Amino acid sequence: MAAGRYSFVIEQGATTDFEVVYNDADCNPIDLAGYQARMSIRAAQDRSSELFITLSSSLGPCGTGLNLSGSQTSAGYPKDLISGSIGVYISAASSSQLTFNEGYYDLELMSGSGDCMTVTRLLMGKVKLSNEVTNS
């Protein structure tokens, strides 16, 4: 299965919060218990290009990261997710530190471990940063 394409905007200094639903061929949500997720935003579609931010299913400060429906919700993550969903959450504090104009990302799901890990690239695309004018 080829990765889907989706582009989005991060508003600097504001919260970015959206869900991606992962369904099987019959449009049934896939149980994500036991999965991990990762996402990087870089300057180019090249793993050696400048890294702007990395998100993972190990949630960071204020819930920044990727929240899988099969995992525990973080105190910083504002809502429960539907089955098969991946919550992409970048806190206002985290987005205020970003300074790029445009980047590229991909979102991957992993199951298993070591050399036998299965990696599925779900989405890829462009990310634009809308610069903040007002700040505190």
Side-chain angles (χ1 to χ4, degrees), residues 35-118:
Y35 281 77
Q36 296 176 30
R38 62 187 177 201
M39 179 175 140
S40 292
I41 301 174
R42 293 185 175 271
Q45 288 180 296
D46 178 350
R47 71 172 86 181
S48 64
S49 69
E50 182 182 0
L51 176 66
F52 299 132
I53 189 170
T54 297
L55 304 176
S56 73
S57 45
S58 298
L59 302 180
C62 300
T64 292
L66 304 169
N67 188 18
L68 306 182
S69 61
S71 65
Q72 302 250 350
T73 56
S74 162
Y77 198 83
K79 60 185 173 184
D80 291 328
L81 301 171
I82 62 170
S83 179
S85 68
I86 302 147
V88 178
Y89 187 84
I90 303 172
S91 71
S94 294
S95 74
S96 70
Q97 302 303 308
L98 298 174
T99 58
F100 67 94
N101 291 318
E102 182 176 273
Y104 297 86
Y105 82 97
D106 59 12
L107 171 62
E108 298 177 334
L109 273 180
M110 297 95 57
S111 62
S113 62
D115 291 339
C116 297
M117 179 182 292
T118 300

